Amino acid sequence: MSEQTLVLIKPDGVERGLTGEVLRRIEAKGYRIAELTKLTATPAQLAEHYAEHEGKPFFQPLVDFMLSGPIVAAVVEGEGVIAGFRSLCGVSDPTAAAPGTIRGDLGRDWGEKVQKNLVHGSDSPESAEREISIWFG
Ligand code: IDP
Ligand code: MG
């Protein structure tokens, strides 16, 4: 089986009608969408998903943001997809994210305590395995 990563389209992406655009970029790159679902996250899922950020000043704003509306979760697969999707995303800060990336082309700073940056992608094989089990059991 080729590599898999966990992608989330965050509430800002869904609310702004960018689900199709994000999925289009994933498919246009050549990756395969193996699983896809729209859901409302629970506090327990988010505590687990963002455990590494607990205690940071943006942690509670991040959790509140992720609870603010529906999200889309996907398992995306292909050789090198973990690094490849991070590259498609661009860096976390949408102001700094390069044009051509999802965050660089479609995101901006809205002056809030959390950066609303449209998407999440796993950062390592260990994170991918852990995160896929959070969102897809
Ligand atoms: P990543 O999503 O690019 O992997 P992480 O460092 O894992 O970035 O942070 C998780 C999420 O928390 C980011 O995507 C962003 O929404 C938010 N975030 C990260 N750092 C900051 C910050 O310094 N201020 C506000 N929000 C942040
Ligand atoms: Mg991260």
Side-chain angles (χ1 to χ4, degrees), residues 53-127:
H53 297 303
E54 211 188 323
K56 296 180 185 173
F58 61 84
F59 178 75
Q60 197 57 48
L62 175 61
V63 169
D64 292 343
F65 162 50
M66 293 296 290
L67 290 170
S68 69
I71 65 173
V72 169
V75 177
V76 177
E77 63 183 31
E79 295 302 323
V81 70
I82 294 172
F85 182 71
R86 298 275 293 184
S87 179
L88 285 186
C89 281
V91 298
S92 311
D93 175 356
T95 301
T101 65
I102 292 167
R103 289 164 170 173
D105 284 349
L106 309 173
R108 55 161 281 194
D109 193 328
W110 299 94
E112 298 183 22
K113 287 180 182 154
V114 59
Q115 287 292 359
K116 296 183 169 177
N117 57 10
L118 303 161
V119 282
H120 166 86
S122 308
D123 62 9
S124 68
E126 298 70 34
S127 299

Side-chain angles (χ1 to χ4, degrees), residues 10-19 70:
K10 298 182 179 184
D12 58 334
V14 174
E15 164 70 22
R16 290 178 55 206
L18 295 171
T19 300

